[in-house]
RNA sequence: GGAGAGGUGGCCGAGUGGUCGAAGGCGCUGGACUGGAAUUCCAGUAAUACCCACAAGGUAUUCGUGGGUUCGAAUCCCACCCUCUCCGCCA
């Protein structure tokens, strides 16, 4: 296969959904696939993913053969073409030399076509393969096997029946789901007045916390991105149905999370060791089609087509990525701690973990209105999975060579759900809501939101 | 949206069909010189895939992207993307 990633190779997306810089099968480490196939198969099986081993082995073997053939034919062409050039420069007769290469062109293009086809098949196969799991990931097929790692805070005892955020919001006069329905349809919301301000205060508080205390750099990013960008972080080609694609040319998708633009900041780059770790934080809206979630969480703000999130992304040296995951999770936890919200940390099990992640912690916040913990943050170490797709590398001083970085992301945290949690946890019997102390400076000192 | 110019290695920049992966310069690395440094001089300085032990060595590919012409393309043709300048419009 020819050069993987020339500079600026992000122009136009090829048909299959493979991008210029994702053309290599390096979705998993191709060397691992060749040398430790059994271990990989076993690891993927923990997710319940069955790797088509025979098909892969066969395709890879044929690809290699074909590539050797192509290389040899090209070598012959180059050699002979040079000879023709030299002969002509000498003024020698070149007709016999031309006759020698007569069939070369067709043989070469046949072999090249075969190679392209094989490569496309391999890509299609490998772009579907999820990341390998870290050894510490709990076994299990679905969310019932997730493991609680720790809890923080005690769910508050109410001496009245706690309302849910929809009732609270409507009573406060700042949540209008009907209006959103008229404007856009289901799963959208209109916030106004104190609720809109509280929403903004939450985002701003989170940004300030992460930039001032956790060492993140605040970034403003595009909300519309290209197909190669979506492919780099793993949303494409497999999960196109989950995304909103906007009409028109050039093709663009609405981001489902700021992880996409933030992580792709490292795409196509070879970072100096001294630049690492990179820590980015961004507050953006997120757009998700929620295909396949019909009937789930239809009430209120929990599951929306559009919601705001403060996202944390780290680009780190591979050796540091698991410590970074613990730290990043702690950064997200700090948000909930400062807001005085009870939560627990869950280690996702093999069957529940996301496509590109090697290990994930979910933060679940206590929602009195539902009487249960609900996800409010998800913190993942993607190891080199995304880095290989997007060719995000660093110059390893030990080897002197460019090697994939490790990428991590985590919500720090989902703003909409944080709003839900603040409303429900802070509610009083009279329908008012007490504002967490850390948010008051953002609200002109207001301590309590009361119904009009 | 209209008109024009342009996209070459980490950067600048030469190169309009033939040993061009690409002159020259800058930067960087190593060495010489020095008490140390500067200056100067010498050498080196891409990525990816494949063969192979991820060694040495070799082959292929990459001059915005894709396609075409040709024995041979950075160089010719087509389409697209992007950048810059001017005009229009606009936050």
């Amino acid at each position: 296969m020819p050069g993987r990633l020339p500079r600026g190779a992000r122009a136009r997306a090829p048909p299959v959904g493979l991008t210029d810089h994702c053309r290599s099968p390096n979705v998993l480490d191709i060397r691992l696939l060749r040398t430790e196939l059994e271990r990989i198969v076993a690891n993927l099986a923990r997710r319940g993913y069955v790797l088509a081993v025979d098909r892969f082995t066969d395709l890879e073997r044929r690809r290699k053969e074909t590539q050797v053939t192509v290389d040899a034919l090209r070598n012959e062409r180059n050699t002979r073409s040079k000879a023709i050039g030299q002969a002509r420069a000498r003024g020698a007769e070149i007709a016999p030399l031309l006759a020698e290469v007569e069939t070369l062109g067709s043989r070469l293009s046949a072999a090249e076509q075969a190679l392209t086809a094989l490569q496309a098949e391999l890509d299609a196969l490998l772009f579907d393969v999820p990341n390998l799991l870290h050894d510490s990931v709990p076994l299990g097929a679905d969310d019932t096997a997730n493991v609680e790692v720790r809890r923080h805070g005690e769910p508050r005892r109410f001496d009245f029946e706690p309302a849910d955020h929809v009732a609270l919001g409507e009573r406060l006069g700042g949540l209008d789901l009907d209006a959103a329905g008229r404007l856009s349809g289901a799963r959208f919301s209109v916030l106004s007045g104190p609720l809109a301000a509280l929403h903004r205060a939450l985002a701003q508080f989170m940004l300030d916390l992460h930039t001032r205390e956790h060492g993140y750099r605040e970034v403003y990013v595009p909300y519309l991105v290209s197909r190669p960008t979506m492919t780099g972080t793993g949303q494409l080609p497999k999960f196109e149905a989950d995304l909103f694609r906007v009409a028109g040319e050039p093709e663009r998708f609405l981001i489902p999370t700021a992880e996409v633009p933030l992580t792709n900041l490292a795409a196509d780059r070879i970072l100096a060791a001294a630049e690492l770790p990179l820590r980015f934080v961004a507050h953006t809206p997120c757009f998700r089609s929620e295909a396949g979630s019909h009937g789930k969480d239809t009430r209120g703000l929990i599951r929306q087509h559009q919601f705001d999130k403060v996202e944390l992304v780290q680009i780190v040296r591979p050796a540091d990525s698991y410590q970074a995951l613990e730290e990043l999770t702690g950064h997200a936890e700090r948000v909930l701690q400062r807001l005085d919200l009870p939560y627990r940390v869950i280690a996702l099990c093999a069957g529940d973990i996301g496509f590109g992640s090697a290990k994930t912690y979910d933060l679940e916040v206590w929602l009195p209105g539902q009487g249960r913990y609900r996800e409010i943050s998800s913190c993942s170490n993607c190891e080199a999975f995304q880095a290989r797709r997007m060719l995000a590398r660093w110059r390893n001083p030990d080897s002197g060579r460019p090697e994939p970085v490790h990428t991590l992301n985590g919500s720090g945290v989902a703003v909409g759900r944080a709003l839900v949690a603040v409303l429900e946890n802070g509610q009083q019997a009279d329908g008012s809501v007490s504002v967490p102390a850390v948010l008051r400076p953002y609200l002109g000192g207001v301590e309590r939101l009361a119904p009009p």
Side-chain angles (χ1 to χ4, degrees):
Chain A
M1 205 56 227
R4 298 307 183 202
L5 185 61
R7 289 152 293 109
R10 334 188 91 222
R12 191 175 190 76
V16 203
L18 309 179
T19 72
D20 295 291
H21 65 250
C22 301
R23 199 175 292 154
S24 88
N26 283 357
V27 177
L28 296 180
D29 187 336
I30 192 73
R31 291 202 176 89
L32 270 185
L33 266 170
R34 289 198 285 255
T35 58
E36 298 188 52
L37 191 55
E38 283 177 28
R39 196 169 72 76
I40 287 173
V41 167
N43 188 304
L44 292 171
R46 289 166 61 196
R47 285 182 182 266
Y49 185 91
V50 181
L51 182 66
V53 178
D54 292 345
R55 183 132 181 282
F56 166 74
T57 312
D58 180 56
L59 278 173
E60 173 62 7
R61 180 183 53 75
R62 283 158 61 203
R63 189 198 112 260
K64 228 185 259 187
E65 279 174 17
T66 312
Q67 177 156 354
V68 171
T69 306
V70 167
D71 281 0
L73 286 171
R74 282 177 175 159
N75 181 233
E76 190 179 344
R77 180 200 62 195
N78 292 346
T79 311
R80 289 182 183 274
S81 291
K82 264 180 194 173
I84 291 172
Q86 287 166 353
R88 226 180 56 144
R90 285 195 310 269
E93 182 63 54
I94 61 168
L97 292 173
L98 286 176
E100 284 176 24
V101 293
E102 208 178 334
T103 64
L104 197 57
S106 60
R107 279 188 292 152
L108 177 57
S109 69
E112 280 176 335
Q113 276 175 32
L115 181 60
T116 305
L118 283 167
Q119 189 69 55
E121 274 194 78
L122 258 180
D123 285 348
L125 183 76
L126 291 174
F127 266 95
D128 253 22
V129 179
N131 199 2
L132 298 178
L133 296 171
H134 190 254
D135 288 340
S136 65
V137 171
L139 289 173
D142 55 45
D143 58 2
T144 60
N146 291 343
V147 172
E148 183 175 313
V149 179
R150 59 182 169 271
R151 280 186 191 219
H152 186 274
E154 279 293 317
R156 180 181 142 203
R157 272 171 217 270
F158 289 86
D159 46 16
F160 57 96
E161 184 65 27
D164 80 350
H165 69 279
V166 178
L168 289 162
E170 286 174 348
R171 224 183 311 170
L172 289 172
L175 174 62
D176 195 338
L177 297 169
D178 292 339
R182 289 194 300 276
L183 294 173
S184 304
R187 295 201 192 280
F188 288 90
S189 54
V190 170
L191 301 177
S192 63
L195 252 55
L198 183 59
H199 184 263
R200 169 166 55 84
L202 279 163
Q204 215 171 324
F205 156 69
M206 295 177 204
L207 281 171
D208 287 343
L209 174 67
H210 297 310
T211 55
R212 291 172 190 170
E213 298 185 35
H214 298 151
Y216 289 77
R217 180 179 180 81
E218 184 172 352
V219 187
Y220 173 80
V221 292
Y223 305 155
L224 288 166
V225 299
S226 66
R227 180 173 287 270
T229 300
M230 280 292 183
T231 307
T233 29
Q235 280 73 21
L236 291 178
K238 203 172 184 180
F239 304 105
E240 184 157 351
D242 296 339
L243 301 172
F244 286 111
R245 187 175 61 177
V246 302
E249 280 288 318
E251 182 180 50
R252 286 193 179 108
F253 297 87
L254 284 161
I255 56 170
T257 160
E259 166 200 345
V260 174
L262 286 178
T263 308
N264 273 285
L265 287 173
D268 294 339
R269 299 199 53 202
I270 300 176
L271 298 158
E275 290 180 82
L276 301 176
L278 292 173
R279 289 179 166 182
F280 298 130
V281 60
H283 166 219
T284 72
C286 304
F287 303 93
R288 300 186 180 178
S289 77
E290 294 297 337
S293 64
H294 308 295
K296 265 194 259 177
D297 297 312
T298 49
R299 181 175 164 84
L301 302 176
I302 296 292
R303 191 177 299 274
Q304 300 265 288
H305 288 310
Q306 171 188 322
F307 63 95
D308 277 28
K309 187 154 59 70
V310 170
E311 181 76 0
L312 306 172
V313 160
Q314 293 200 26
I315 313 288
V316 306
R317 304 181 192 203
D320 300 337
S321 70
Y322 278 93
Q323 194 192 333
L325 177 62
E326 298 301 324
E327 290 171 4
L328 185 148
T329 306
H331 298 151
E333 287 181 66
R334 187 79 62 211
V335 172
L336 303 180
Q337 290 165 12
R338 294 280 173 88
L339 291 170
D340 225 5
L341 296 170
Y343 69 90
R344 61 179 188 174
V345 181
I346 302 290
L348 295 195
C349 78
D352 201 30
I353 211 163
F355 180 73
S357 176
K359 180 169 187 174
T360 297
Y361 291 118
D362 272 9
L363 266 48
E364 295 185 341
V365 70
W366 177 255
L367 293 186
Q370 298 194 0
R372 55 185 281 224
Y373 288 95
R374 291 301 307 259
E375 176 184 344
I376 194 169
S377 170
S378 193
C379 303
S380 298
N381 182 359
C382 295
E383 295 193 11
F385 187 81
Q386 296 178 322
R388 270 190 220 99
R389 292 180 157 237
M390 66 175 69
L391 244 59
R393 293 169 293 175
W394 71 303
R395 179 85 53 187
N396 183 345
D398 293 336
S399 67
R401 302 194 55 77
E403 297 172 6
V405 294
H406 279 193
T407 63
L408 301 97
N409 64 80
S411 357
V413 300
V415 179
R417 289 189 182 179
L419 178 70
V420 169
V422 166
L423 290 177
E424 295 192 3
N425 283 282
Q427 64 180 297
Q428 311 297 320
D430 62 359
S432 67
V433 171
S434 108
V435 175
V438 290
L439 297 181
R440 291 174 192 167
Y442 297 97
L443 293 168
V446 169
E447 295 180 8
R448 164 183 303 249
L449 308 182

